[in-house]
Amino acid sequence: FGAWLGRAPLGRAMADAATAPGEIRALPSLVGGGRLLLDTASAVDLPGPGLVRLAAGALRLDLPDTAPPLQLQGRWGQWQVAPGSILALRRAEADEVAVLRGAARMAGGTVGPGFGLAWGRLGAAPPHRLTLAETDRVEGFAEAWRLFADTPLALVAEELSRYLPGALLVSDAVAGLRVSGRFRFTRPAQVLEALAQTLPVRVQHHAGLLTRLSAA
């Protein structure tokens, strides 16, 4: 028994731009300026100038000071992003926005630099100050750096599974082991090797379609 960590079909073929598992890609400059980085196994629609709709996964947006305001839409909400902003948006059970510079405004208020906000089915939670791990995730977005402090292996593996071409199976016997460290998820094989060296975990690969983490 264990947790099966794979990726459900994202309909990436229907999106205006999409990435494969393990791929992080910079899209062409937005109208009026701006850089958009699309995370692994993610999809985005660009229905017109000034509007970006995240269909799956995550993105990082860098707007120059001279850019016009931009509308950024997730699953549950829409933000107006101010010129000069740097932020990331992740679409999961909730939309999670993290602002490094500038501001993102929505109907309920404004998220300023150094703050994040989660907006789910029941509405928006109060803005919170970004943790070191959340800040590092945005700053290291292009190479998928991840910082963990006493985090259950199951949660680390859940995130890592998005960068693997197949599925990841985590045994219940090791799911609760705690992980601390900073890892580059664009190199998932090295992350798995590091986990096997620092935890009582065995990594098994099966025909490139399945990776298993079990007790050593």
Side-chain angles (χ1 to χ4, degrees):
F1 297 94
W4 180 279
L5 303 175
R7 289 167 304 281
L10 299 176
R12 292 193 296 268
M14 301 294 292
D16 291 332
T19 52
E23 177 189 15
I24 298 175
R25 182 158 58 93
L27 302 185
S29 296
L30 299 171
V31 175
R35 181 173 185 242
L36 191 63
L37 278 176
L38 197 56
D39 199 13
T40 175
S42 297
V44 68
D45 291 318
L46 305 168
L51 177 59
V52 174
R53 182 181 298 124
L54 181 62
L59 59 78
R60 170 174 160 150
L61 176 65
D62 295 49
L63 286 184
D65 294 335
T66 56
L70 181 141
Q71 300 293 325
L72 180 59
Q73 183 176 335
R75 179 183 181 186
W76 300 105
Q78 181 166 301
W79 289 264
Q80 180 173 325
V81 183
S85 295
I86 299 175
L87 58 80
L89 175 65
R90 183 184 183 198
R91 177 170 166 159
E93 289 299 319
D95 294 333
E96 301 170 4
V97 65
V99 179
L100 291 189
R101 192 179 77 181
R105 299 179 180 88
M106 62 174 184
T110 300
V111 184
F115 283 82
L117 182 144
W119 188 342
R121 181 174 57 85
L122 300 179
H128 67 275
R129 186 171 295 278
L130 295 177
T131 66
L132 181 61
E134 290 173 323
T135 300
D136 187 65
R137 181 172 186 150
V138 183
E139 292 177 339
F141 194 97
E143 295 180 339
W145 284 103
R146 296 290 186 271
L147 179 65
F148 298 103
D150 199 35
T151 303
L153 177 60
L155 296 181
V156 177
E158 181 179 359
E159 177 68 14
L160 184 62
S161 69
R162 301 179 60 241
Y163 295 82
L164 293 168
L168 180 58
L169 180 64
V170 182
S171 167
D172 290 338
V174 300
L177 294 176
R178 317 305 283 191
V179 178
S180 296
R182 188 170 185 255
F183 305 91
R184 186 178 178 183
F185 273 24
T186 49
R187 298 179 177 177
Q190 293 183 7
V191 178
L192 290 169
E193 181 180 354
L195 293 174
Q197 291 176 350
T198 56
L199 297 173
V201 169
R202 179 174 57 176
V203 180
Q204 297 173 292
H205 300 284
H206 302 274
L209 300 175
L210 172 65
T211 301
R212 294 173 55 93
L213 298 181
S214 55

